Amino acid sequence: MTISIRKGELQQEACDVLIVNEFEGKSEPGGATGTVNKALSGLLVKLMKEEAFKGQLGQTLLIRTEGIIAAKRVLLVGLGKKTDFSLETVREAAAISYQAIRAMKPKKVVSILHGAGNGGLTPKECVQAMVEGVRLAAYTFAKYKKQKENGIGSFDIVTNDGRAVTAGKKAIEVAELFVQGTIYARDLVNTPAMHMRPIDLVDAARELAKKNRSVSVRVFDQARLETMGAGGLLGVALGSDHPPYLVHMVYKPKTCAKKKIALVGKAVTFDSGGLSLKPADGMMTMKCDMAGAAAVLGVFSVVAQIAPKVEVHGIFAPVENMPSGKAIRPGDILESLSKKTVEVLNTDAEGRLTLMDMLTYAQKIKPSAMIDLATLTGACMVALGEEVTGVMSNDPKLANAILVSASATGEKMWELPLEKNYQKLVKSQVADLQNISAGRWGGALTAGLFLQEFVDPKTPWAHLDIAGPAFAEREYNAYTKKGATGHGVRTLLHYLQSV
Ligand code: BES
Ligand code: ZN
Ligand code: ZN
């Protein structure tokens, strides 16, 4: 499917489907939709009434034009209430329109530019949101399907505003990169763990570095990790037949960079729980436990083309968490890369054992900001549900910047506190720390506090618990179907553009 924007009059467009829109609770369409209705001699309004089209977000109405205008069909999509309208509505409306016609496999689709001018939205951001909505809606994970689907041929946004076309062209380029990064992450996460072993994540990083001159990669193997003393990573990997690695990717901008941003991703390629084995149901989606690293790799897959003015470091340590005669046991004590010791009371709380070493390593580069992404706790899903990421940070400015980027890209995130009074819950009787909380409640927070033990208070740091949003166990919205979501990639790219 090609996506483009050009100047034109919708009612004159020859195509298989012409997409127009309408807010909820309006009986007479205005703007470009109104013009199409007039060209159709009021047929659109007549059918809206007959078919009880109210304009709610999610509602669509497809009509045949019988040659009255050049378009064969018109698809009317609801935008919902004008008071609820936002950039996310634009993204969803575009995705909903795609889903409404995908089975028809139309060759040529022309769409109105949703939203520009409403609620202070610029054509540029509306075009970007539309492209994201359509492309992410079109995503399928077809690697293992014998029968491949083919979809829509071309999707053209047509507007009579010449300036919107100029701004829109640039926006399409950026949107295509945001989508490419997101889809790259989705594919990594959707790939079964049997084909996404620690070495496969290493290879993915090497591949990206080979393709881009501004990206380089260093890989530490098991022997190196042993000399370094990365006891957390090594401990988690003990039960697996696949050795662990630590991967450090670097993007350097052409001009001299003032800032270094470290992106750290949890990279457990499969989380069985280890000896503290998960029940069958809990294990079903645990190929998603490397979604943090996938988001980092997603960013690196397009970072050279996005070309932020900052140095970007991507750090992740691929390991597999398996039970075996060699696996770590509850009660074992590991010495971390930071030298702090950790009593492992539950081998299923393995993410933090790998992250503690990654965070220690990441701080060696003296980052101006360090952001980690991890499918870390079920407790975060208890707190915020499946669709919202928990953000914990020692730096209000960094937290705010992330929340602003999340909101701009439609990725749902909410701040949770690093409550000092709970710090004692991760102290051990026999070691410096223990890997589960001594209490029953606030498991997302105590996981965050455990990580904070490995962060220099002078390093601005944010921890993103993406346990819920990384992998959709049901359809979240029209552009986020069941399966990997690529959550985090667009927020990070937006953030990197803004620093
Ligand atoms: N990978 C899981 C967290 C998870 C759960 C991610 C559901 C995505 C969906 C993590 O390693 C884990 O098992 N956490 C435990 C921690 C507990 C033992 C303290 C949990 O959340 O139950
Ligand atoms: Zn686990
Ligand atoms: Zn895990």
Side-chain angles (χ1 to χ4, degrees):
M1 174 173 58
T2 60
I3 300 185
S4 66
I5 183 164
R6 59 188 160 78
K7 197 162 184 259
E9 296 289 340
L10 290 178
Q11 71 280 7
Q12 292 166 4
E13 289 290 330
C15 55
D16 298 300
V17 184
L18 174 65
I19 300 168
V20 292
N21 63 30
E22 183 60 305
F23 280 106
E24 189 175 335
K26 272 184 45 185
S27 51
E28 275 299 306
T33 303
T35 315
V36 170
N37 178 55
K38 273 200 204 100
L40 284 165
S41 313
L43 182 65
L44 199 55
V45 169
K46 181 171 169 272
L47 291 172
M48 270 168 74
K49 289 200 179 111
E50 280 181 29
E51 301 293 327
F53 179 90
K54 299 269 188 317
Q56 291 125 324
L57 186 63
Q59 207 180 9
T60 57
L61 175 67
L62 184 68
I63 68 167
R64 297 184 57 91
T65 61
E66 302 295 355
I68 311 174
I69 59 172
K72 285 194 193 122
R73 300 172 193 83
V74 171
L75 178 81
L76 182 62
V77 292
L79 296 179
K81 292 201 182 72
K82 213 165 184 171
T83 45
D84 295 340
F85 191 72
S86 71
L87 209 50
E88 182 59 7
T89 318
V90 174
R91 208 173 276 114
E92 281 200 57
I96 288 160
S97 66
Y98 180 89
Q99 302 295 9
I101 57 177
R102 79 182 304 160
M104 246 160 58
K105 302 187 190 349
K107 280 205 183 69
K108 208 166 169 321
V109 176
V110 169
S111 177
I112 192 170
L113 171 55
H114 299 301
N118 274 302
L121 300 179
T122 64
K124 183 165 163 263
E125 54 192 355
C126 289
V127 170
Q128 176 160 357
M130 279 187 71
V131 176
E132 289 173 0
V134 170
R135 281 266 187 244
L136 294 176
Y139 173 82
T140 54
F141 181 62
K143 212 194 275 183
Y144 294 85
K145 290 262 195 206
K146 297 290 173 213
Q147 206 127 48
K148 313 274 186 221
E149 252 185 77
N150 49 0
I152 293 177
S154 65
F155 189 101
D156 297 355
I157 302 167
V158 170
T159 166
N160 57 17
D161 174 359
R163 274 180 310 175
V165 172
T166 319
K169 284 196 170 141
K170 190 92 201 92
I172 291 179
E173 277 176 35
V174 176
E176 292 283 17
L177 292 169
F178 274 44
V179 166
Q180 197 186 313
T182 304
I183 287 180
Y184 186 87
R186 284 184 179 184
D187 282 344
L188 289 177
V189 176
N190 279 326
T191 302
M194 67 185 296
H195 297 145
M196 193 49 65
R197 302 155 300 171
I199 186 69
D200 296 304
L201 281 175
V202 172
D203 288 344
R206 284 194 171 127
E207 198 66 29
L208 291 177
K210 214 167 19 174
K211 275 195 207 139
N212 290 293
R213 283 177 54 209
S214 52
V215 174
S216 61
V217 63
R218 258 183 95 181
V219 178
F220 301 84
D221 65 8
Q222 189 164 356
R224 276 303 299 275
L225 292 171
E226 274 161 16
T227 6
M228 283 161 71
L233 293 175
L234 292 163
V236 173
L238 280 174
S240 170
D241 287 343
H242 305 300
Y245 298 90
L246 186 125
V247 179
H248 179 178
M249 306 181 76
V250 186
Y251 157 79
K252 284 204 169 127
K254 293 224 167 66
T255 52
C256 186
K258 282 198 205 83
K259 286 186 180 164
K260 290 182 197 168
I261 311 295
L263 306 177
V264 178
K266 175 172 171 181
V268 175
T269 57
F270 188 73
D271 183 10
S272 69
L275 286 177
S276 313
L277 196 66
K278 283 184 185 295
D281 272 359
M283 226 185 275
M284 222 137 59
T285 58
M286 278 306 126
K287 66 174 181 184
C288 83
D289 219 16
M290 34 60 80
V296 174
L297 281 160
V299 167
F300 270 85
S301 72
V302 293
V303 71
Q305 289 146 285
I306 294 282
K309 292 183 186 70
V310 291
E311 209 171 283
V312 188
H313 293 253
I315 290 147
F316 59 89
V319 287
E320 190 184 41
N321 187 22
M322 294 297 247
S324 94
K326 294 198 184 72
I328 36 164
R329 310 148 192 84
D332 282 353
I333 295 176
L334 302 173
E335 189 183 58
S336 67
L337 185 58
S338 75
K339 302 289 178 213
K340 283 194 183 182
T341 56
V342 180
E343 184 187 11
V344 179
L345 289 174
N346 188 318
T347 64
D348 196 12
E350 84 298 340
R352 63 197 80 181
L353 300 174
T354 69
L355 279 163
M356 65 187 185
D357 286 352
M358 288 189 254
L359 293 175
T360 303
Y361 176 84
Q363 284 165 99
K364 291 187 187 183
I365 65 157
K366 300 253 175 287
S368 349
M370 175 167 77
I371 304 171
D372 78 71
L373 298 94
T375 44
L376 202 63
T377 66
C380 195
M381 298 169 74
V382 174
L384 297 175
E386 295 168 282
E387 298 185 42
V388 182
T389 280
V391 179
M392 284 150 261
S393 179
N394 63 1
D395 185 279
K397 258 205 193 132
L398 176 61
N400 187 58
I402 291 170
L403 293 172
V404 165
S405 289
S407 154
T409 55
E411 295 189 318
K412 299 175 182 42
M413 300 196 184
W414 194 257
E415 193 168 2
L416 299 174
L418 287 167
E419 174 51 53
K420 279 199 181 65
N421 228 8
Y422 299 161
Q423 272 169 351
K424 55 181 178 288
L425 295 172
V426 292
K427 306 282 188 210
S428 160
Q429 293 247 299
V430 292
D432 297 330
L433 296 164
Q434 61 184 38
N435 80 329
I436 54 168
S437 169
R440 177 160 171 205
W441 310 109
L445 278 52
T446 46
L449 288 162
F450 178 93
L451 298 180
Q452 193 175 20
E453 295 284 339
F454 300 89
V455 178
D456 180 336
K458 288 199 221 61
T459 308
W461 159 70
H463 158 57
L464 275 51
D465 193 330
I466 59 169
F471 198 86
E473 292 199 44
R474 51 174 184 85
E475 179 179 326
Y476 287 173
N477 58 39
Y479 64 87
T480 316
K481 298 279 166 183
K482 213 172 144 153
T485 61
H487 180 90
V489 173
R490 289 182 301 120
T491 297
L492 290 176
L493 288 172
H494 188 279
Y495 167 76
L496 290 174
Q497 282 182 323
S498 73
V499 282

